[in-house]
Amino acid sequence: MAKKKKPKTKAAGRKAPAERTARKAKAKPKSRPRRVATARSAGRHEAAVRAVVPKIRGEATKVHSKILTRKTPALRFPVRSLSNVIYRAKKGYFEIKGNT
């Protein structure tokens, strides 16, 4: 005896094909114009890069030499918490305590 076929029902949450294609197109948000680097800001960036890159290379060299001597390399990072910051009301933001 042949089994009776169940009538197909629409699955919960799924839309019929006509409903899927009839969606309204969302308007794309307008993109803001990019800021152009001025000579002044580019100079500050270059100075920061010149100051930081040697420090990164020095730390990388230390880690590399530790690895070559089969010792465990270690990196130390400053703690970022409210115990080592000061709120400057005049400036309106937190500053890190210490020699900065």
Side-chain angles (χ1 to χ4, degrees):
M1 181 174 217
K3 291 184 180 180
K4 291 184 180 179
K5 290 185 177 180
K6 291 183 183 179
K8 290 185 178 181
T9 58
K10 193 164 77 169
R14 293 193 69 190
K15 294 180 181 179
E19 290 175 345
R20 277 188 246 145
T21 57
R23 282 189 226 150
K24 287 184 178 178
K26 291 183 179 179
K28 288 186 177 181
K30 292 182 180 180
S31 61
R32 295 186 310 167
R34 292 184 132 199
R35 290 180 65 189
V36 178
T38 61
R40 186 175 182 186
S41 65
R44 274 187 271 154
H45 174 73
E46 290 295 323
V49 168
R50 274 190 247 110
V52 172
V53 169
K55 291 179 182 179
I56 294 172
R57 286 208 173 124
E59 288 298 315
T61 304
K62 289 177 189 175
V63 169
H64 186 250
S65 63
K66 287 265 190 173
I67 292 170
L68 291 177
T69 58
R70 303 241 184 230
K71 293 180 182 174
T72 305
L75 292 174
R76 293 185 57 185
F77 297 96
V79 176
R80 303 287 187 223
S81 67
L82 292 177
S83 65
N84 68 345
V85 294
I86 300 172
Y87 180 72
R88 302 281 186 197
K90 190 173 182 179
K91 291 185 178 181
Y93 57 84
F94 288 98
E95 289 184 345
I96 297 174
K97 291 181 189 175
N99 50 357
T100 54

